[in-house]
Amino acid sequence: MTMGTRALTVYKKNNEIKIAKYSQWDGYPSGLGADLLAAFKDLGKDAISKCVDRATMIDFEGKDKEFIDKVNSTEDWPSIYPLLSRDTNGASILKYLNNPDYGHYGMKFDLDFASDSLFCEWCYVIDFDSNTLEVYKGFNCEPLAEGERFYLKDDEGYQSGGGGIYYPVKLYMTYDLDDLPAEIPEPSEED
């Protein structure tokens, strides 16, 4: 059963965030986390690194606006441009990016989504520079320390309608890309 668990998948390479892909469904470790682990097992780190090089980020307000208008006027755009769809997660984009004949490698750059952990329930950062898979958890009610990946200077947090204050996603686990686990454990109540 598909669950509305929002997530962000980030790919970093050569000191640059290359991909920051939002997805709407199954973002928890046994969903998207498992999909990412399976992709590394099936494709391998080098092939995924090459996939990342094929991706392009679309400027929704600027130079690519004409293309976005075309996409929006296409009735079945999610099946034609799946990399733009919220239904395509940060692991499933790899099957398109790994296909040199696919041709539509553009997607939206959603890195800011990590700053609101009320809505960004999970975040996965594949950092080829540090050779790590970092797993971040949402619903973070504590400010991040300076130096943490998603730290925002002068961030006062996001006030929810229920009165809670939420900060950017918080680091939960880090794994070496050359020694990935069979699964990412779901957090306990204390985590």
Side-chain angles (χ1 to χ4, degrees), residues 103-115:
H104 299 287
Y105 298 130
M107 62 190 88
K108 187 176 180 192
F109 191 75
D110 289 315
L111 189 61
D112 288 346
F113 188 57
S115 67

Side-chain angles (χ1 to χ4, degrees), residues 121-140:
E121 298 168 77
W122 290 95
C123 178
Y124 302 87
V125 177
I126 296 89
D127 188 333
F128 288 102
D129 299 328
S130 64
N131 200 50
T132 57
L133 165 62
E134 300 167 359
V135 181
Y136 292 80
K137 206 174 114 185
F139 304 113
N140 177 30

Side-chain angles (χ1 to χ4, degrees), residues 4-185:
T5 306
R6 298 167 296 255
L8 179 68
T9 308
V10 174
Y11 291 87
K12 180 179 175 272
K13 184 176 177 184
N14 300 327
N15 295 313
E16 181 183 350
I17 303 293
K18 301 285 190 172
I19 298 171
K21 176 70 173 93
Y22 167 82
S23 56
Q24 180 75 24
W25 313 107
D26 299 333
Y28 40 83
S30 61
L32 176 53
D35 291 347
L36 286 166
L37 294 175
F40 272 89
K41 184 178 178 185
D42 296 344
L43 292 174
K45 182 174 75 172
D46 292 339
I48 292 173
S49 178
K50 289 176 185 172
C51 288
V52 169
D53 291 335
R54 287 192 189 100
T56 57
M57 296 299 105
I58 293 177
D59 179 358
F60 274 63
E61 303 301 321
K63 67 179 176 64
D64 298 319
K65 180 134 179 36
E66 188 175 310
F67 170 72
I68 293 304
D69 291 343
K70 174 185 169 191
V71 170
N72 288 334
S73 67
T74 304
E75 187 174 320
D76 195 23
W77 71 264
S79 65
I80 298 168
Y81 304 103
L83 296 179
L84 292 172
S85 174
R86 69 183 190 162
D87 298 338
T88 306
N89 71 33
S92 58
I93 62 171
L94 297 171
K95 71 180 175 185
Y96 300 102
L97 295 173
N98 194 42
N99 179 355
D101 297 327
Y102 175 65
H104 299 287
Y105 298 130
M107 62 190 88
K108 187 176 180 192
F109 191 75
D110 289 315
L111 189 61
D112 288 346
F113 188 57
S115 67
D116 182 359
S117 72
L118 174 62
F119 293 102
C120 186
E121 298 168 77
W122 290 95
C123 178
Y124 302 87
V125 177
I126 296 89
D127 188 333
F128 288 102
D129 299 328
S130 64
N131 200 50
T132 57
L133 165 62
E134 300 167 359
V135 181
Y136 292 80
K137 206 174 114 185
F139 304 113
N140 177 30
C141 296
E142 298 176 11
L144 299 181
E146 190 170 346
E148 290 186 69
R149 184 178 295 275
F150 294 109
Y151 170 79
L152 297 173
K153 186 176 181 179
D154 300 326
D155 181 27
E156 295 180 12
Y158 168 77
Q159 182 88 26
S160 76
I165 296 177
Y166 294 89
Y167 294 89
V169 292
K170 180 89 172 152
L171 184 62
Y172 170 60
M173 297 279 209
T174 301
Y175 300 100
D176 187 305
L177 289 178
D178 295 321
D179 189 25
L180 291 171
E183 65 182 32
I184 299 167

Side-chain angles (χ1 to χ4, degrees), residues 137 142 172 186-191:
K137 206 174 114 185
E142 298 176 11
Y172 170 60
E186 298 286 344
S188 66
E189 290 297 318
E190 301 87 52
D191 290 332

